[in-house]
Structure formats: C-alpha cells, structure tokens
Amino acid sequence: MLYLEILGNLPEMARDEVKAMLELAGGKIVSQDYLFLKINADERPFPYFDRLGLAHEYGELLVEADSVEGLLDKAREIEWPIKGTFKVDTETMANCRHSVLDLPRKLGAVIHAQGFKVNLSRPDTLVRVYCGERLYAGIRLRFFDPKDFEKRKAHHRPFFRPISLHPRVSRALVNLTKARRELLDPMMGAGGILMEAGLLGLRVYGIDIRPEMVEGAEMNLLHYGITDYVLKLGDATRLGELFPGKKFEAVATDPPYGTSATLAGRKRDELYRRVLESIYEVLEDGGRLAIAFPTSFDGKAEAERIGFKTLGRYYQRVHKSLERYFYVLEKA
C-alpha cells in the first residue's frame, strides 16, 4: 500500500490529478481521510506521482489503526524498512480525533527496539504518522518542495504578466489531461502551462494572438531549458487552419478573463464558445481538455453542447472580482 498527501487549496482537483496519474500507471485510490489518500499500487506509479502539482508528499503505507495503542501494537509486529537513521514525524490533520502528542516518542521507541538509530536533526529515513479519523504510519519516499514551484512563479520568469496561474495549478491542469506525448495551449499567454508540460518531457505547442506573447513565451521556455516546442502567432478559434490534419492528444489552457485587449476586441462569451469548438475540432477522440472559465460562464453546458463530456469541475475564488471553475472535458 502507498499513501499520498494532497494539498488543501483545491482538494477535489488534487485528488482527481492523482486519479488521472493512476489511470496511466495502474493502481487506485482505496480511501480518503481528509487530505490523506490510501492507494493500492506497487512502485509503477512513482514516475507519474513525481509529475504531481497539487501534492505534498507520498510514501509507503505500513500501518493503520483506530487507536494509538492499536497503531503501536501493529508497529511491533512488522519489520520496518528503515535505511540508516530515522525520525518519527506527526502530521495532525484538521479532522484528527486522537491524542498524538506523545506518539512520535512511543513509536520511535518501538522502531528503535528493532535496532535502528534515531537522528532528530538529519535522519536518513522519515517515518510519517498521520492523524485523521484513523491513524496511519509509513515511510516518506518523496516530498514536493514548494520552492521547486515557487521559483517558476510569474515574477521569476524573464518575461511575465502579473495575471498568471500558479505553477502548481498549471502542472495539475497538464496532468488532468493525462498527456503522455504532447500538449497544446491555444491561448498560451506567457507560456506558464507549456513550461510545466515541457518540464515533464512533453512536446508542447502554443498559440497566441499577440506577437509579444509568442516572443515572451519562447523566452520563458528557453530559460527553463525547454526546447521541444512549436509556437505560432494565431487565433485560437481557427486551430484547424493553424494545424491542418493534426490531432492532439491533450489540450490545457487558461483563457483571458475580460479586458478588450486580452480578448482582441471580441465579446468574451462568444470567444469562449468558438475556442471550445476549435479545440474540439483538433482534439483526438477520447482526448482531454483542461480549461478555466469565470463562474459567470457556464462552461459545462457550452462544452456539452459541442460534444464534450464533463469529467470534473473545480471551484476557486481568486479574489472578490474573480471566481472561476477549472473543467476537465473529454471528447466523446
């Protein structure tokens, strides 16, 4: 068994991102306890888990119980796969219903009795205990350092615009498409989504109607070492003309939300409809689209009118004047 802790800002979206990766790798989510996912899988999902944007960490789940004493009893019965020194660290989730204040010391003593040495400052192995409705203990295999994403936020890029998705969210949109080879962003702006896709080894295609964005996106891609890309100046409502005969396995995009400049003088809702139709034209059968729309636009109804199937919808309040939904759509 494995465990995975997702982030709490977009929990449903984070869970579905994990689910999408498991659909590619094999395995399934068995249960969820607040932000803790119990997963039935072997090591095959590890490369896919390493792609995740909305995750905190993952590891091997070794023990679960309904009480502290039950956890300690089970911990005594197993051989702990500790490499080198260890430390026990507790994650007390918002729904924790157990008294775990002294649990790290008690569990540490159980593991120490098997001959392993404790190192509280620089352990080789981190034993993680999660407290929710139940108690869980396992070995951390991978921690997603927030600094890895923070360094790619808009103001750190050579070319940026202040309105940009957080790199974690961009990464999640890419993963929700289940892209394995390539990804198209037909309204790429400064290229934030393409950057995350390119860093995953995907071939990326980008379109924007503004020349400065095409130049800026290329600058950003090259800055982060991404060279397998095709960028074009063009209209997202005419993708079939830009890529004659080409069908894409995955599309992810964050359309502009409202100024006449970013919308090239066109009415917003009509632009969104035409973009959805254009994407549908160039998407493979069974291909996925991950896209954001403000809540005032009924993305589900409009997409399904065209022929898409809605797989997910996730609400996010950005600030008082912007509330949006992220959608995951599939071409039926």
Side-chain angles (χ1 to χ4, degrees), residues 172-174 176-177 193 251-254 288-292 327-329:
L173 291 181
V174 173
L176 285 163
T177 69
I193 291 175
V251 180
T253 194
D254 180 33
R288 285 189 176 188
L289 162 65
I291 192 168
Y327 295 85
V328 180
L329 308 168

Side-chain angles (χ1 to χ4, degrees), residues 191-249:
I193 291 175
L194 297 183
M195 284 164 42
E196 296 306 311
L199 290 170
L200 296 177
L202 303 175
R203 180 174 175 81
V204 295
Y205 296 79
I207 303 296
D208 207 280
I209 203 166
R210 294 159 292 175
E212 69 273 18
M213 290 299 176
V214 178
E215 295 174 9
E218 183 171 33
M219 191 185 306
N220 287 339
L221 292 175
L222 293 174
H223 178 75
Y224 290 100
I226 299 160
T227 57
D228 192 6
Y229 62 83
V230 175
L231 304 183
K232 293 187 178 185
L233 178 67
D235 189 336
T237 67
R238 305 177 74 172
L239 295 174
E241 297 176 18
L242 290 168
F243 299 101
K246 170 71 175 170
K247 296 290 184 181
F248 293 91
E249 70 162 348

Side-chain angles (χ1 to χ4, degrees), residues 1-4 15 18-19 22 27-33 36-42 49 61 64 134 136:
M1 285 289 178
L2 306 176
Y3 77 85
L4 195 147
R15 177 191 166 102
V18 175
K19 183 180 176 183
L22 287 170
K28 68 175 183 176
I29 299 171
V30 176
S31 62
Q32 180 172 353
D33 190 343
F36 182 93
L37 305 182
K38 177 182 175 182
I39 296 168
N40 185 3
D42 53 24
F49 285 173
L61 178 61
E64 60 179 303
R134 306 191 77 201
Y136 312 86

Side-chain angles (χ1 to χ4, degrees), residues 9-218:
N9 53 339
L10 287 163
E12 292 180 359
M13 186 171 169
R15 177 191 166 102
D16 283 356
E17 183 191 14
V18 175
K19 183 180 176 183
M21 294 298 92
L22 287 170
E23 288 172 0
L24 292 178
K28 68 175 183 176
I29 299 171
V30 176
S31 62
Q32 180 172 353
D33 190 343
Y34 194 54
L35 301 177
F36 182 93
L37 305 182
K38 177 182 175 182
I39 296 168
N40 185 3
D42 53 24
E43 71 279 358
R44 285 177 294 173
F46 292 168
Y48 293 92
F49 285 173
D50 289 342
R51 291 175 47 159
L52 291 169
L54 300 178
H56 180 72
E57 68 176 78
Y58 70 81
E60 182 181 359
L61 178 61
L62 296 170
V63 180
E64 60 179 303
D66 291 316
S67 68
V68 170
E69 285 308 315
L71 184 80
L72 294 173
D73 287 342
K74 290 183 178 181
R76 294 185 185 99
E77 296 171 359
I78 68 168
E79 292 185 12
W80 286 81
I82 305 289
K83 295 181 180 179
T85 59
F86 79 96
K87 172 188 175 183
V88 179
D89 186 44
T90 303
E91 185 76 25
T92 304
M93 298 186 289
N95 66 334
C96 175
R97 63 182 189 88
H98 306 273
S99 177
V100 295
L101 187 62
D102 203 32
L103 185 52
R105 184 187 64 80
K106 291 179 177 178
L107 181 57
V110 169
I111 299 172
H112 178 69
Q114 293 190 8
F116 300 106
K117 294 183 179 180
V118 177
N119 185 329
L120 298 180
S121 57
R122 298 189 67 180
D124 299 305
T125 301
L126 188 62
V127 177
R128 291 281 277 160
V129 176
Y130 283 83
C131 178
E133 290 295 319
R134 306 191 77 201
L135 290 165
Y136 312 86
I139 303 292
R140 176 193 278 179
L141 298 177
R142 166 74 190 272
F143 169 67
F144 294 90
D145 191 339
K147 295 177 183 177
D148 291 341
F149 292 96
E150 293 295 321
K151 66 186 180 183
R152 295 194 299 278
K153 289 181 72 173
H155 63 282
H156 292 304
R157 303 168 190 169
F159 176 85
F160 78 96
R161 291 294 182 268
I163 300 174
S164 181
L165 291 178
H166 192 286
R168 281 188 180 272
V169 176
S170 294
R171 175 69 65 90
L173 291 181
V174 173
N175 288 329
L176 285 163
T177 69
K178 295 170 62 174
R180 283 179 283 192
R181 305 184 310 273
E182 63 185 15
L183 182 123
L184 166 67
D185 183 346
M187 307 180 87
M188 66 180 172
I193 291 175
L194 297 183
M195 284 164 42
E196 296 306 311
L199 290 170
L200 296 177
L202 303 175
R203 180 174 175 81
V204 295
Y205 296 79
I207 303 296
D208 207 280
I209 203 166
R210 294 159 292 175
E212 69 273 18
M213 290 299 176
V214 178
E215 295 174 9
E218 183 171 33

